[in-house]
Structures are given as C-alpha cells and as structure tokens.
Amino acid sequence: MATTYIVDKDGNQIDASTATVPSDRHFRGAWSLSGSVISEDMTAAKAIFQDKIREVRAPLLADKDVELMKALETGASTTAIAAAKDALRDAPAGSAISSASTIAELKAAWDTSVLGDSPYA
C-alpha cells in the first residue's frame, strides 16, 4: 500500500495518515507543518486571499471600463463608476484582511458589496 504525503508551503512533508489536517482546504497553500500538526500561516493565507480578490476583480474592472466609456460617449455622470472602480482597486488592501487573525475572520473579510458572492461561503 502506497503512503500518501502532505507537503507544506515550505516543502516539508509528513505521512498523511499521521497528520492533524485543517478541515478548510481553501488556504492549503498556506499550510505550515509543526510535528504532525498542520496549521495555516496567516501571512501566507492573506496573500492567497488577496490574489483571489485580484482574480475576481479583473473582469469586474473590465465591465466598469465599458460602463465608463459608454458614460463618456453619452455625457452621463461617471462619478459612481469611478467610485466603484476605486473600491475594486482598494479591495486587496482592506483593513479587515490585515486585521484578520483566524481563517474564519479572513473569509469574513470578503466584501460582497464590491466583489460579489464569496468563493469561501
């Protein structure tokens, strides 16, 4: 029977059958191994979270660019569009992200009013 290994973010590995593994796999790239216990490195988890925001916001920004061009062509106000684009640009630097001390707090930092449905729900 083959042994399955779990590898943490630093390349350390452990036999999966002996490990205490977090139930949430969203931040697997932030796992850190200490003996046979795997925990999430919050600094690495925050970076993964911010990258997910950047991935989700890219098409949203593109849609806002189209809205902006249409508004400019018709002479309509661009104030709300500009504010929405600013909110999207600022999303990865949200204070709730930097202040999160647990994975649950980090997942709760997803701003659905700016980014839409959370991929962590």
Side-chain angles (χ1 to χ4, degrees):
M1 182 167 170
T3 302
T4 301
Y5 292 96
I6 296 174
V7 181
D8 75 358
K9 67 180 182 56
D10 298 318
N12 301 313
Q13 70 179 18
I14 186 171
D15 180 343
S17 67
T18 65
T20 301
V21 181
S23 60
D24 188 328
R25 299 175 77 79
H26 284 109
F27 299 98
R28 187 173 180 172
W31 284 3
S32 183
L33 184 60
S34 177
S36 64
V37 177
I38 298 172
S39 59
E40 292 98 352
D41 176 321
M42 283 304 293
T43 301
K46 289 175 185 180
I48 292 167
F49 188 83
Q50 290 167 321
D51 286 345
K52 187 62 165 179
I53 289 173
R54 290 179 184 103
E55 176 188 323
V56 167
R57 80 172 176 185
L60 299 174
L61 279 169
D63 291 346
K64 290 297 174 192
D65 286 341
V66 171
E67 285 181 44
L68 180 65
M69 293 307 296
K70 287 180 179 179
L72 289 172
E73 289 172 359
T74 63
S77 173
T78 60
T79 305
I81 299 167
K85 287 180 69 165
D86 285 343
L88 285 165
R89 278 192 218 89
D90 294 343
S95 61
I97 298 168
S98 59
S99 65
S101 59
T102 66
I103 293 298
E105 289 174 3
L106 185 59
K107 289 166 70 172
W110 189 269
D111 189 345
T112 56
S113 67
V114 174
L115 300 165
D117 292 339
S118 172
Y120 304 110

